[in-house]
Amino acid sequence: MPICYITRKEHFNAAHRLSRADWSDEKNEEVFGRCANKNWHGHNFILHVTVKGEPNPETGFIIDLKYLSKLIKKEITDHLDHKNLNLDDTFMFGILPSIENIAIQAWNKLEPHLPKGSLHCIKIVETENNDVTYYGE
Ligand code: NI
């Protein structure tokens, strides 16, 4: 049977700061640059969730995209949208909120709710120049 890959895109707006409490202000600025700004900064993040599988012979769907959208909102974006990723008790609490770590956390939250082996990748777009993709490896 043919395998297809289908992607659902969702948005969330959030503030964050990249810094380590165990580093000096100077070192944080040196490593993280403007992302270490003490007074936060925000992004209009875009989340792409790609699921792979064989289209169902009756529906032609790999997965119902309305269902996938609701699942993404419940497990991921409701916890991130309009939050401060460092301060609010979202699923990034206590984790350095780089886009790499957001993608890994999003995978960990979503993967158990999908058919085994069907989650292909999670992509987080931070700016038009920067995005990251996680394949669960
Ligand atoms: Ni940033």
Side-chain angles (χ1 to χ4, degrees):
M1 280 288 286
I3 299 282
C4 292
Y5 296 76
I6 196 160
T7 300
R8 176 72 196 183
K9 189 158 77 163
E10 300 286 346
H11 296 81
F12 61 96
N13 305 323
H16 73 166
R17 177 189 180 207
L18 300 184
S19 71
R20 297 190 59 92
D22 57 338
W23 286 1
S24 66
D25 290 349
E26 293 72 27
K27 183 159 184 188
N28 276 311
E29 273 173 33
E30 185 192 318
V31 173
F32 297 118
R34 297 198 310 165
C35 292
N37 177 33
K38 281 184 180 167
N39 290 327
W40 318 104
H41 67 279
H43 299 280
N44 298 318
F45 291 96
I46 307 168
L47 166 71
H48 298 248
V49 173
T50 302
V51 173
K52 70 176 173 186
E54 295 173 1
N56 178 295
E58 285 184 317
T59 62
F61 294 167
I62 299 169
I63 188 166
D64 182 335
L65 287 172
K66 286 197 294 289
Y67 166 77
L68 182 60
S69 174
K70 277 186 197 161
L71 188 63
I72 294 167
K73 285 194 180 91
K74 179 167 175 275
E75 299 300 327
I76 304 174
T77 52
D78 281 355
H79 303 274
L80 298 175
D81 192 33
H82 288 73
K83 304 284 187 185
N84 179 313
L85 303 183
N86 300 73
L87 297 183
D88 289 329
D89 189 9
T90 68
F91 70 43
M92 292 309 294
F93 193 61
I95 300 169
L96 189 75
S98 65
I99 48 174
E100 292 88 334
N101 285 339
I102 296 169
I104 294 165
Q105 277 296 91
W107 176 287
N108 291 340
K109 293 291 178 183
L110 197 60
E111 197 273 339
H113 300 280
L114 290 168
K116 200 167 165 46
S118 68
L119 182 57
H120 178 62
C121 67
I122 301 265
K123 177 172 158 182
I124 306 277
V125 180
E126 188 175 52
T127 68
E128 63 180 7
N129 296 319
N130 299 335
D131 61 71
V132 69
T133 305
Y134 180 59
Y135 293 91
E137 298 167 351

